Amino acid sequence: MLQMHFSQTDAGIAPIPTWDPAATAAHIAFMRTAVAELTAAGELVEAQGLALPDSARIVRAGEDGPSVTAGPFPDDKEFLFGWWIVNCATDERVLEIAAMLSAAPGHDGRPMNMPIEVREVLAEPPAQP
């Protein structure tokens, strides 16, 4: 599984809603091409983008009902931008895909070099007899 983390402080990238429409279109076209290529290769399982974190909430169960607070990372402004689940023959291929997605064009047309966290999706443990 590839998780795309985005931090405005680390990357120095303006929030996508502030980009020039042409830059936004180029970024989306890049992502759509990546989806098409990975789908054709049989490697894409799922890909989803997420809304900006200003709409995120943290919910915790409690004795007096749920507690709802703003989230997810209010101090650092780092957040999960989206995810890609891929099924590849080798770990090296997963890293190639992560590097390709990291290079999506940004507001200025140059590669964003977004940090991509690569994590394995855990399989369900075997059933107990």
Side-chain angles (χ1 to χ4, degrees):
M1 180 166 123
L2 307 178
Q3 296 183 9
M4 296 190 297
H5 285 268
F6 182 82
S7 172
Q8 290 173 257
T9 56
D10 290 341
I13 299 168
I16 290 176
T18 67
W19 292 7
D20 176 79
T24 302
H27 181 81
I28 291 170
F30 177 94
M31 292 300 185
R32 286 184 176 153
T33 298
V35 165
E37 290 175 359
L38 295 172
T39 298
E43 295 172 319
L44 183 65
V45 176
E46 179 182 2
Q48 297 291 326
L50 296 172
L52 292 175
D54 58 355
S55 66
R57 303 292 179 265
I58 302 295
V59 179
R60 288 185 177 87
E63 289 181 19
D64 298 326
S67 166
V68 181
T69 58
F73 308 103
D75 295 333
D76 188 23
K77 302 298 182 208
E78 183 172 314
F79 60 93
L80 182 63
F81 188 53
W83 69 85
W84 299 69
I85 298 177
V86 294
N87 185 6
C88 300
T90 66
D91 289 343
E92 290 77 18
R93 177 62 182 144
V94 173
L95 298 178
E96 289 173 10
I97 293 169
M100 182 265 301
L101 294 172
S102 174
H107 70 282
D108 56 3
R110 296 188 323 212
M112 293 173 62
N113 298 323
M114 296 179 289
I116 305 290
E117 179 181 338
V118 177
R119 297 176 67 181
E120 181 179 354
V121 176
L122 296 176
E124 185 175 327
Q128 297 294 322

